[in-house]
Amino acid sequence: MIRTTVTIATSTLMLTGLFLVGCSTPAATETATTETPTTETQSNTGTQNISVNKTQQTLHLAQSILEAAGSGDIEALSAKMVDDFVWHNEGDRTVPWIGTWEGKETVLNQFLPTFGGGLQTTSWTTDYSFAKDDQAVFMGTMAADATNTGESTGPMSWAVRVQVVDGKVKSWNWFEDSFAVSRAFHGQ
């Protein structure tokens, strides 16, 4: 398990630092918790080999896309996404960045500027990371301010599930306290 805490200067990170993983130090990267099956498992369709190597590659790629986004490296971010990349946020559809965004160009040119301009992260921790086959999960806590109202979400949990296909990220499913985000955005 990794647990790191980062306090973010709200105006210094592109994309509001929301993607920032506290895994930029070698020690944190080396201690990431990873589920890595080393034996065959049984399924309803028979024996299925789960590749340890694929699991490790999935975690590494998912972590690298978090780091690219957190550092504002759009070129690296773009190189790691498939063309039909899908970003999904559950929550209040009146918040401009909530919903499903389909296509790499749409995510890079519409979603990220909207999201980055609407929410500024004020604190961030990455507490857990694990992967299995083509899926990786990261979980932690954060707080953010809505830029339109200045209201804070307060501390909240977050998680993201990342799907990797053929060495690139295919989908990003973001989970957060969407009620807190909505209240901050609407100044409540």
Side-chain angles (χ1 to χ4, degrees):
M1 178 180 89
I2 59 172
R3 180 168 178 87
T4 55
T5 303
V6 178
T7 301
I8 301 170
T10 56
S11 63
T12 59
L13 288 178
M14 186 172 185
L15 305 176
T16 72
L18 189 59
F19 304 100
L20 182 68
V21 289
C23 299
S24 59
T25 63
T29 301
E30 293 169 5
T31 60
T33 302
T34 309
E35 182 181 315
T36 53
T38 57
T39 60
E40 294 181 344
T41 58
Q42 294 293 321
S43 69
N44 292 338
T45 59
T47 303
Q48 176 182 24
N49 288 323
I50 300 176
S51 166
V52 172
N53 192 32
K54 183 174 184 176
T55 296
Q56 291 171 337
Q57 289 172 347
T58 295
L59 184 62
H60 177 74
L61 178 61
Q63 189 169 357
S64 72
I65 200 168
L66 286 167
E67 291 169 350
S71 68
D73 189 346
I74 300 301
E75 198 171 297
L77 187 61
S78 177
K80 297 172 189 308
M81 302 162 84
V82 296
D83 289 339
D84 60 344
F85 176 85
V86 176
W87 177 292
H88 182 75
N89 269 21
E90 288 291 334
D92 178 357
R93 299 290 176 139
T94 65
V95 175
W97 58 87
I98 299 297
T100 301
W101 300 76
E102 297 181 8
K104 176 170 52 174
E105 294 306 315
T106 299
V107 169
L108 294 174
N109 298 319
Q110 293 175 23
F111 169 75
L112 290 177
T114 301
F115 173 65
L119 200 65
Q120 292 185 333
T121 303
T122 57
S123 70
W124 181 274
T125 68
T126 300
D127 303 318
Y128 301 97
S129 62
F130 53 94
K132 182 174 182 182
D133 204 23
D134 68 344
Q135 303 283 321
V137 175
F138 296 87
M139 296 182 288
T141 58
M142 64 174 286
D145 293 336
T147 59
N148 65 324
T149 64
E151 294 292 323
S152 176
T153 62
M156 63 180 175
S157 297
W158 64 269
V160 63
R161 186 175 99 189
V162 182
Q163 180 187 20
V164 173
V165 175
D166 297 327
K168 291 196 174 195
V169 175
K170 169 76 174 161
S171 67
W172 179 279
N173 240 356
W174 180 257
F175 305 94
E176 64 194 357
D177 183 345
S178 59
F179 182 66
V181 171
S182 177
R183 288 180 53 88
F185 180 78
H186 294 292
Q188 300 173 342

